[in-house]
Amino acid sequence: MTSEAKKPIIFLAFANERNDQVSYLRNLPEEARNIRQALDIAKRNGLCDVVERSNATLQDILDVFQDPLYHNRIAVFHYGGHANGYQLLLESAEGSGKAAYAGGLAAFLGQQTGLQLVFLNGCATQNQVQGLTDAKVSLVIATSRAIDDKVATEFASRFYKGLAGGANIQRAYNEARAAIQTEHGDAARNLYVAERSAIDMA
């Protein structure tokens, strides 16, 4: 196996669930673009590979994790899109919405050797954190309540710029949170939660 094949992978999945009952996430394409640009630096420096799925279906996500080329190399799984405490709202091949239920997804992700971080950048995903950590996912970043689309985009962009610049996960998280507080004030302070003792939420 070459060193190229051993590089950790950051897997980005984005879904803008097309349901009349939920609002279209106008900033989701910008989130994807900003993260992609930030991680291009890390890719050029040979630090990681990036796999991206836009308009992601559940099948897309499961297939990437089970692809022999990527199997057990995915270190970070990032989801951007509609979500809640019990499911991710993905797309379907027919163009309608399709839920991925948190319990099953947590069990699946818990089987992935090498997975260090799950970043759920959707509204009010905090209730999914316990299931993921119970399934042995090392670290989870989630939202504690409904969050403005623009703030979610800015936080994710800053987080991945930090990682690409050489920061560890904790420092990248802290820098991104501080940047959001700088621009949006104390009202943004508790928008994100991270479940692991290494992350200080004080």
Side-chain angles (χ1 to χ4, degrees):
M1 184 179 290
T2 66
S3 59
E4 188 74 16
K6 293 180 181 177
K7 278 190 220 172
I9 290 172
I10 297 176
F11 175 25
L12 310 172
F14 302 98
N16 215 336
E17 203 263 345
R18 289 168 276 184
N19 183 322
D20 292 338
Q21 305 303 313
V22 295
S23 60
Y24 181 77
L25 298 171
R26 295 183 186 279
N27 287 317
L28 194 61
E30 182 183 351
E31 177 182 331
R33 187 166 44 253
N34 290 351
I35 294 172
R36 192 183 308 120
Q37 288 173 352
L39 293 178
D40 276 347
I41 298 167
K43 281 173 59 181
R44 285 198 306 269
N45 290 333
L47 300 177
C48 68
D49 286 326
V50 178
V51 174
E52 183 178 345
R53 294 293 181 269
S54 297
N55 308 112
T57 66
L58 177 58
Q59 192 74 30
D60 290 335
I61 291 171
L62 300 179
D63 285 351
V64 167
F65 276 103
Q66 293 186 314
D67 187 317
L69 187 61
Y70 310 136
H71 192 59
N72 291 334
R73 291 176 53 210
I74 298 173
V76 177
F77 172 56
H78 176 95
Y79 170 75
H82 284 294
N84 58 41
Y86 310 99
Q87 57 193 4
L88 305 183
L89 302 177
L90 301 170
E91 302 191 31
S92 72
E94 296 77 29
S96 59
K98 173 80 174 167
Y101 293 98
L105 184 62
F108 181 86
L109 294 176
Q111 300 300 310
Q112 308 309 310
T113 302
L115 185 62
Q116 298 175 34
L117 170 66
V118 172
F119 188 150
L120 299 178
N121 204 26
C123 282
T125 53
Q126 183 176 2
N127 286 344
Q128 296 195 35
V129 171
Q130 191 62 53
L132 286 161
T133 55
D134 287 349
K136 310 299 184 202
V137 173
S138 300
L139 182 59
V140 182
I141 296 175
T143 56
S144 59
R145 57 188 170 94
I147 183 172
D148 179 77
D149 188 22
K150 186 174 187 293
V151 172
T153 296
E154 290 173 7
F155 181 90
S157 300
R158 284 288 162 205
F159 175 80
Y160 286 103
K161 282 179 183 177
L163 277 187
N168 62 24
I169 291 172
Q170 180 175 355
R171 179 173 172 181
Y173 171 87
N174 288 339
E175 287 178 350
R177 185 179 68 172
I180 291 301
Q181 289 175 340
T182 300
E183 186 167 355
H184 298 280
D186 286 341
R189 188 178 60 178
N190 294 319
L191 289 176
Y192 285 81
V193 294
E195 189 68 30
R196 195 184 191 193
S197 58
I199 296 289
D200 180 8
M201 291 300 297

